Amino acid sequence: MILLKPLHMINKSIYACLLLLGLFTLSSFSNDEIDLKGIWHFEIDRNDKGITEKWYHRNLSDEIQLPGSMAEYLKGDDITLKTEWTGTIYDSSFYYTPRLEKYRQPGNIHIPFWLTPVKHYVGAAWYQKEVDIPKNWSKKRVILHLERTHIETRVWVNDKEVGMQNSLVAPHQYDLSPYLTEGKQRITIRVDNRDKINVGPDSHSISDHTQGNWNGIIGKIALKSSPLTFLEDIQVYPDVVNKKALVKVKVNNTSSENFKGELILSAKSFNSEKSDETKKIVSKIVVYEAEQKEIELELPFGNGMLTWDEFDPALYHLEVQLVSKKSKETKEVQFGMRSFNIEGNRFLINGNPVFLRGTLNNCEFPLTGYPTTTVEAWETILKKIKSFGLNHVRFHSWCPPEAAFIAADRVGLYLQPEGPSWPNHGPKIGRGEPIDTYLYDETKRIVKNFGNYASFTMLSAGNEPAGNQVEYLNDFVDFWKERDPRRVYTGMSVGGSWPVVPNAEFQVRGGVRGLNWKDIRPETVSDFTEGITPFKVPFVAHEIGQYCVFPNFDEIKKYTGVYKAKNFQMFQQDLIDHHMGDQAKDFLNASGKLQVLSYKTEIEKMLRTPDYAGFQLLGLQDFPGQGSAIVGVLDAFWQEKGYITAKEYRRFCNQTVPLAKIEKFVYQNNEKFSAETVLFHSGKTPLQNAIIGWTIKNEEGKILNSDQFEPKTYHNGNGIVVGKIDFDLHKIKKASKLNLEVSVQGTDFVNDWDFWVYPTDFKKGASSVYYTTELDTKAKEVLKNGGNVFLNAAGKVVKGKEVQMYFQPVFWNTSWFKMRPPHVTGMLIQEESPAFADFPTSYHSDLQWWDIQNRAQVMNLEDFPADFRPLIQPIDTWFMNRRLALVFEAKVGNGKIIVSSADISSNINNKLTKLQLYQSLITYMDSDEFQPQNKLDMEVIEHLFKTPSKEIFNTYTKDSPDELKPDSNQNK
């Protein structure tokens, strides 16, 4: 037997050979199941003629292996500029920008908006297999089980059509009993991946932005037999307080005889150190012919009952037997004894307050282009998420396969699957469109198939809708609250401009999130109390962060499967074309450090806000679409990028996090450093008699001061007051970076913050440097005569004026938001230069740079020598890759110059950091160490203030994302 391997496991030539040699695989068989994985006949139906031509009545002409997708086995079309994608493109500049023309040529197509599949196809395709049906199945019910097919299926047995199904969340299951006979039978499946319901082109259940709109069947494919009277559905409703579970069992009798027998229940724990087992519950039942009956039984637990939560995810297997003299069927259900509900504005797990520290899963699977259906693979992903201190996952506009729920139960994570829709950018809810009914149908399927899993604690109808949303979503929430109390319900996950759905049990929304570093200097005192006060239910922050980092081009080699990082390839080459290819790794690390600082600061602000209920990151990992949103500290493969580890991340994102309220981060040595220590705690139990201590160190690791607070018991909560820290700075005689560390004694819970201290008595000896704000006649004369010039060019820049820099990094990415500022994601600083001898700095933007960097002009060095590197280099958006400078040095004529587009000077009214940097630069210029490597013509510098940039971004389109449109939520 020869099995074809998917693309990410073999090369194309080997695949072609195997396909030619492919034999019809024999299906593996057990008494009650036939596994249909293996080689299937296959044919693409580009012109929708297969039904009228009765393709189910003949052998298909090609072959493919299932489970799998068309693209995985090189079926479909090559990518061209006319490929009809499933997903919105707002930035059309790629199609017109002259410098990108080479990426629009046949054979060299590089799509910048998302990852590029090796093949693309949207439409109908046919799959066919012959199966031997055993004789002993003649009086049994036989179900065709298709896990994760995309999207619509129609099934024929021999020449008879069985039916059609359309679900993005649950297995397609067909009762083939009336159609099968003993012996060889031909099963034909037509799969159509067109979005006929229109769930929204950017929905992560279907969009090319994430998994891609694949065609195929990628999970378990099998024929399953059972008695004609069978267990239709089993749902377990835990009652933790009363130590029992209500079990609802639907029994369906499709036979022509009455069923008389017994229903037998028992549960046993299986994954915890402690073990527990219930007694068997036996109930005699009668189900009449052609009747479906629901039986409710109580399953009592004893004092040894184990509960499930993130800390101790103890699980049970419920065994249900349906037994008569003629037949027996046994099913096993995984569940956990837990309650997840709401009290006021907080969530409770088994009565214990819990704060949700979550991330989004956007269905990123770059090797296959479709979600994995194995428990082992999902455990790897979810354990990685938990290792970063998180306890919650939202599945943005999609619902994962069953394996994800099984894995989350074992790992201990709280899940929020969603209806598979982002009903915007076309479809609208509450207007009578097909999506209205479809979301009810799909969420019913989610609950039926996955409702027993302990990790399934929250449900949303989808993401950021348009239409008559309040009325529709109020009804949706009310429907589910009444129908199933095992979890809590919201309308949809939305941004801050969307209307509030009053009936939602909790809110997932924006508006109360983010950092205002573009207007207010960094501090860690403020919180979000004012923003969440109007909400009387738990408030969970929607898609926090979205802070960009420069691409990691070493990641390109990881794309060995269905998807290729043509976007990264294009960005990398464009960086090389702009003479900065050798700086890619430095840009990654420098921007990464600022990204982490941004996430840390925002997360801490939520952790110190009383009554905040949780957050959902966007994201822990990168989002490969919507213009390539490189917003994660992990890549799309869930792997670290090198600038932060899980252990480091857990310092500020964990079940317990020490916090400090610090009003500012830059001081003079005649001041006192003061901070209020507070604590975030969301543990299984209170911190009993906890001792919290603090230490202040210098960069050499020398302890300058330390102390600890009196032992105290801390219950779960945000921003719990601990005590005050005061430290007199008068002994700090030179410019220094210090570090405050706060820890919980005897635990791994520790957190820290850097702050900077500058002396008041900086030596201001006579300087030979000519300071000027214009490249005037005197400046030119000084340079001609071998002197030194400091040019403060703030506000005078023309070449680069279009580039807007804030301290905080690019949000999401500049393509999706059509070059909305900021355009810069941090700075690369030549930290080893003696220019910074009196201005302690690392190689990246840090909090002491805020006054200098925020809203400063940058200079575009497009006319400078290719190898020219400034002292301080803002990192441009990777869609433009302009070579920028904030401060540079050079030889000009017989002299030397430093040019700054940041406003730094000796002005006593200037900001402290600007004054300190200026003094450090002037001291450097007065020293023998001031020896710039590059020589520039005067005209090159003058062009910075006279001629605009040659490359100016042009959108070439008037459209924009809904997030930027006024009243986007109303869609008037």
Side-chain angles (χ1 to χ4, degrees):
M1 179 168 63
I2 298 176
L3 296 180
L4 303 183
K5 292 185 177 181
L7 184 61
H8 64 277
M9 296 175 63
I10 59 173
N11 63 40
K12 295 181 182 179
S13 59
I14 296 175
Y15 168 78
C17 293
L18 289 175
L19 190 58
L20 290 171
L21 294 172
L23 300 176
F24 219 88
T25 59
L26 298 174
S27 304
S28 60
F29 174 75
S30 67
N31 288 330
D32 58 2
E33 182 176 302
I34 300 175
D35 191 337
L36 299 180
K37 68 181 178 183
I39 303 296
W40 285 60
H41 287 301
F42 170 81
E43 197 164 334
I44 296 174
D45 189 0
R46 298 180 189 279
N47 301 313
D48 276 333
K49 60 184 181 180
I51 295 175
T52 55
E53 293 182 359
K54 299 182 180 180
W55 285 12
Y56 50 83
H57 192 58
R58 65 166 174 82
N59 290 333
L60 302 177
S61 60
D62 197 359
E63 290 181 339
I64 197 170
Q65 182 165 304
L66 294 178
S69 71
M70 284 178 56
E72 198 170 11
Y73 293 97
L74 301 176
K75 311 292 187 183
D77 303 317
D78 292 334
I79 306 305
T80 71
L81 291 182
K82 295 183 178 180
T83 296
E84 294 186 9
W85 300 104
T86 304
T88 307
I89 298 174
Y90 289 105
D91 173 16
S92 60
S93 62
F94 163 72
Y95 295 98
Y96 303 99
T97 301
R99 82 174 199 281
L100 302 181
E101 183 178 359
K102 60 185 176 182
Y103 303 111
R104 302 192 292 265
Q105 300 306 310
N108 194 43
I109 300 293
H110 287 66
I111 302 297
F113 315 111
W114 42 62
L115 300 173
T116 304
V118 292
K119 293 287 184 178
H120 178 272
Y121 178 75
V122 176
W126 293 66
Y127 303 80
Q128 188 180 81
K129 193 175 188 68
E130 290 188 341
V131 185
D132 282 321
I133 304 301
K135 183 177 182 180
N136 62 355
W137 279 21
S138 61
K139 294 183 178 180
K140 289 189 174 185
R141 173 177 176 261
V142 181
I143 295 296
L144 173 63
H145 178 94
L146 308 174
E147 183 186 16
R148 284 291 146 154
T149 183
H150 214 240
I151 304 173
E152 176 188 274
T153 57
R154 291 178 71 171
V155 173
W156 287 261
V157 173
N158 299 322
D159 297 338
K160 297 185 182 299
E161 184 171 1
V162 177
M164 180 179 73
Q165 293 185 28
N166 187 320
S167 176
L168 287 157
V169 302
H172 294 200
Q173 297 195 93
Y174 292 88
D175 187 348
L176 304 189
S177 310
Y179 306 93
L180 292 174
T181 58
E182 178 189 347
K184 188 172 290 186
Q185 306 286 295
R186 183 172 61 233
I187 296 173
T188 306
I189 305 169
R190 180 183 183 268
V191 178
D192 192 338
N193 61 328
R194 287 169 288 195
D195 183 20
K196 296 182 179 180
I197 301 295
N198 195 2
V199 298
D202 300 319
S203 302
H204 297 176
S205 55
I206 65 164
S207 180
D208 288 302
H209 286 298
T210 55
Q211 61 178 316
N213 189 5
W214 47 273
N215 186 304
I217 307 168
I218 53 92
K220 185 177 181 63
I221 309 172
L223 292 176
K224 299 181 178 183
S225 70
S226 67
L228 294 177
T229 301
F230 57 92
L231 297 164
E232 173 77 32
D233 188 30
I234 303 164
Q235 298 292 330
V236 185
Y237 297 80
D239 181 350
V240 173
V241 173
N242 296 304
K243 296 183 178 178
K244 63 182 180 180
L246 176 66
V247 182
K248 295 183 180 181
V249 181
K250 287 183 181 177
V251 180
N252 198 343
N253 183 356
T254 60
S255 73
S256 57
E257 300 177 356
N258 295 339
F259 176 89
K260 294 182 180 180
E262 292 180 335
L263 200 59
I264 305 170
L265 310 180
S266 64
K268 185 177 182 180
S269 64
F270 67 91
N271 71 324
S272 51
E273 291 183 6
K274 295 180 181 179
S275 61
D276 184 48
E277 187 172 1
T278 69
K279 294 180 180 179
K280 284 188 177 181
I281 302 298
V282 180
S283 175
K284 296 186 179 299
I285 63 168
V286 176
V287 186
Y288 298 108
E289 59 176 289
E291 179 189 20
Q292 184 183 89
K293 177 178 284 189
E294 183 170 278
I295 299 100
E296 295 186 1
L297 297 174
E298 278 194 356
L299 184 65
F301 290 76
N303 292 330
M305 182 188 77
L306 305 174
T307 56
W308 181 95
D309 60 23
E310 65 186 275
F311 308 101
D312 298 295
L315 296 168
Y316 288 87
H317 279 145
L318 171 71
E319 184 179 85
V320 180
Q321 297 181 39
L322 182 64
V323 183
S324 72
K325 292 181 179 179
K326 294 183 177 180
S327 66
K328 177 180 179 181
E329 184 183 23
T330 301
K331 284 193 174 181
E332 191 174 79
V333 172
Q334 177 178 302
F335 75 101
M337 290 300 292
R338 65 103 177 113
S339 63
F340 191 88
N341 48 33
I342 289 168
E343 180 185 81
N345 51 19
R346 61 183 184 175
F347 297 105
L348 303 177
I349 178 73
N350 304 327
N352 190 40
V354 60
F355 182 97
L356 298 180
R357 307 177 305 279
T359 189
L360 270 62
N361 182 286
N362 301 299
C363 203
E364 306 96 338
F365 293 90
L367 288 182
T368 58
Y370 57 72
T372 178
T373 58
T374 71
V375 175
E376 294 75 20
W378 274 107
E379 278 198 24
T380 298
I381 293 171
L382 298 181
K383 284 179 179 178
K384 175 68 77 169
I385 290 172
K386 199 165 186 180
S387 74
F388 277 75
L390 302 175
N391 62 0
H392 167 52
V393 183
R394 172 197 166 204
F395 294 91
H396 181 310
S397 61
W398 81 293
C399 177
E402 186 171 27
F405 293 92
I406 296 172
D409 273 15
R410 296 178 183 178
V411 172
L413 285 169
Y414 311 115
L415 303 187
Q416 179 189 312
E418 295 188 336
S421 178
W422 185 347
N424 209 320
H425 313 156
K428 300 174 178 65
I429 59 173
R431 300 279 180 84
E433 297 178 14
I435 189 64
D436 286 354
T437 302
Y438 190 65
L439 285 178
Y440 277 92
D441 292 341
E442 286 286 77
T443 51
K444 287 177 187 176
R445 286 187 274 261
I446 291 172
V447 170
K448 179 180 178 180
N449 284 274
F450 316 129
N452 291 316
Y453 291 108
S455 54
F456 182 8
T457 54
M458 308 161 74
L459 179 64
S460 159
N463 182 72
E464 295 177 349
N468 184 18
Q469 50 198 279
V470 174
E471 181 181 357
Y472 177 89
L473 293 173
N474 270 336
D475 291 343
F476 177 88
V477 171
D478 290 345
F479 172 85
W480 278 112
K481 284 194 293 189
E482 182 179 349
R483 187 181 179 97
D484 194 332
R486 289 177 291 182
R487 62 198 62 84
V488 293
Y489 302 94
T490 193
M492 286 196 178
S493 304
V494 297
S497 63
W498 268 254
V500 173
V501 175
N503 294 11
E505 292 187 280
F506 64 100
Q507 297 286 338
V508 177
R509 62 185 298 113
V512 191
R513 68 179 191 191
L515 302 172
N516 191 18
W517 280 346
K518 65 181 179 180
D519 298 314
I520 300 172
R521 74 179 181 191
E523 45 79 26
T524 59
V525 175
S526 63
D527 62 27
F528 291 109
T529 296
E530 182 180 354
I532 66 169
T533 295
F535 298 94
K536 306 306 178 185
V537 298
F539 187 98
V540 179
H542 172 73
E543 299 181 359
I544 78 161
Q546 305 186 46
Y547 303 118
C548 280
V549 63
F550 202 77
N552 179 15
F553 298 131
D554 288 344
E555 186 183 322
I556 294 173
K557 60 179 177 289
K558 297 182 182 181
Y559 291 87
T560 58
V562 166
Y563 277 86
K564 304 301 179 185
K566 295 291 188 73
N567 50 352
F568 275 31
Q569 292 174 13
M570 185 177 82
F571 303 148
Q572 182 182 37
Q573 185 58 53
D574 193 57
L575 187 72
I576 294 169
D577 292 346
H578 284 86
H579 312 299
M580 294 179 289
D582 61 318
Q583 293 187 288
K585 182 69 72 166
D586 291 336
F587 286 173
L588 165 69
N589 290 325
S591 61
K593 290 297 186 180
L594 178 60
Q595 178 199 47
V596 170
L597 179 63
S598 303
Y599 276 111
K600 172 177 160 55
T601 307
E602 183 169 1
I603 289 171
E604 288 179 352
K605 189 170 182 177
M606 292 173 179
L607 299 186
R608 65 175 179 266
T609 303
D611 299 326
Y612 218 116
F615 61 79
Q616 295 168 344
L617 289 167
L618 187 54
L620 183 63
Q621 80 288 1
D622 288 340
F623 183 100
Q626 291 187 11
S628 305
I630 311 170
V631 295
V633 298
L634 302 180
D635 63 25
F637 299 85
W638 299 92
Q639 295 172 351
E640 294 176 5
K641 301 179 183 180
Y643 52 82
I644 190 171
T645 64
K647 182 178 180 181
E648 291 166 334
Y649 202 95
R650 288 198 304 273
R651 292 171 76 91
F652 58 85
C653 180
N654 209 335
Q655 68 186 63
T656 304
V657 179
L659 301 165
K661 292 185 175 182
I662 305 171
E663 291 186 352
K664 62 179 184 175
F665 290 90
V666 178
Y667 299 82
Q668 285 190 302
N669 62 354
N670 61 356
E671 295 182 88
K672 181 184 290 185
F673 173 81
S674 295
E676 182 182 4
T677 302
V678 295
L679 187 73
F680 164 81
H681 182 55
S682 181
K684 183 159 185 143
T685 59
L687 283 174
Q688 299 284 352
N689 298 316
I691 298 174
I692 296 176
W694 59 270
T695 301
I696 293 177
K697 300 178 182 178
N698 62 19
E699 281 200 270
E700 288 73 43
K702 180 182 177 182
I703 296 176
L704 305 180
N705 205 347
S706 64
D707 203 350
Q708 62 186 36
F709 301 101
E710 292 296 318
K712 183 179 175 181
T713 295
Y714 298 93
H715 296 272
N716 283 10
N718 304 8
I720 308 165
V721 174
V722 177
K724 192 79 181 291
I725 297 172
D726 287 308
F727 175 52
D728 196 322
L729 302 173
H730 72 277
K731 292 184 179 180
I732 310 300
K733 300 302 183 183
K734 66 175 184 176
S736 302
K737 182 177 81 170
L738 306 184
N739 179 267
L740 168 66
E741 184 174 88
V742 181
S743 60
V744 182
Q745 195 174 96
T747 73
D748 293 329
F749 305 131
V750 60
N751 199 4
D752 70 302
W753 303 262
D754 292 330
F755 63 99
W756 290 260
V757 182
Y758 302 138
T760 57
D761 60 344
F762 191 94
K763 290 180 287 186
K764 301 178 182 178
S767 174
S768 62
V769 176
Y770 174 60
Y771 171 88
T772 181
T773 58
E774 302 275 357
L775 197 56
D776 53 19
T777 302
K778 183 176 180 180
K780 294 177 182 178
E781 189 69 23
V782 170
L783 291 169
K784 181 180 179 181
N785 294 328
N788 296 338
V789 173
F790 183 95
L791 174 58
N792 178 356
K796 308 291 177 59
V797 175
V798 174
K799 189 181 289 293
K801 184 178 181 179
E802 70 282 358
V803 183
Q804 294 190 49
M805 177 171 67
Y806 302 159
F807 180 74
Q808 61 202 63
V810 168
F811 178 84
W812 196 234
N813 66 78
T814 53
S815 173
W816 181 253
F817 287 105
K818 300 176 62 172
M819 212 52 66
R820 180 181 74 176
H823 308 138
V824 167
T825 183
M827 302 190 304
L828 178 62
I829 303 157
Q830 303 301 321
E831 60 175 330
E832 300 299 329
S833 169
F836 302 110
D838 293 308
F839 191 85
T841 184
S842 186
Y843 63 91
H844 56 83
S845 302
D846 214 332
L847 295 176
Q848 89 278 25
W849 283 99
W850 181 82
D851 277 327
I852 299 166
Q853 178 180 349
N854 193 48
R855 295 184 180 274
Q857 281 195 317
V858 304
M859 298 170 280
N860 187 344
L861 307 185
E862 61 185 359
D863 296 327
F864 283 49
D867 62 347
F868 190 90
R869 298 292 181 257
L871 288 169
I872 305 173
Q873 184 173 5
I875 302 168
D876 193 20
T877 168
W878 53 89
F879 293 96
M880 296 296 291
N881 286 315
R882 291 160 293 202
R883 191 157 41 116
L884 306 177
L886 186 70
V887 177
F888 69 82
E889 61 179 351
K891 296 174 183 174
V892 180
N894 298 315
K896 293 168 286 186
I897 193 171
I898 282 185
V899 181
S900 170
S901 54
D903 186 14
I904 52 179
S905 71
S906 61
N907 188 339
I908 194 168
N909 296 318
N910 215 331
K911 300 289 185 180
L912 181 59
T913 51
K914 292 183 176 181
L915 178 60
Q916 185 69 30
L917 177 59
Y918 175 76
Q919 291 173 334
S920 184
L921 292 174
I922 293 297
T923 300
Y924 166 60
M925 295 178 75
D926 280 326
S927 73
D928 293 336
E929 293 183 290
F930 183 38
Q931 298 295 334
Q933 296 299 307
N934 293 88
K935 186 175 181 64
L936 296 176
D937 293 332
M938 183 72 70
E939 292 76 12
V940 172
I941 298 177
E942 287 181 312
H943 278 307
L944 293 172
F945 315 112
K946 292 181 178 180
T947 61
S949 300
K950 300 168 186 173
E951 252 182 67
I952 301 290
F953 177 78
N954 189 336
T955 61
Y956 297 98
T957 179
K958 294 180 180 180
D959 204 356
S960 64
D962 277 6
E963 289 85 344
L964 298 182
K965 294 177 182 175
D967 298 320
S968 63
N969 55 298
Q970 300 301 324
N971 277 261
K972 294 177 181 178

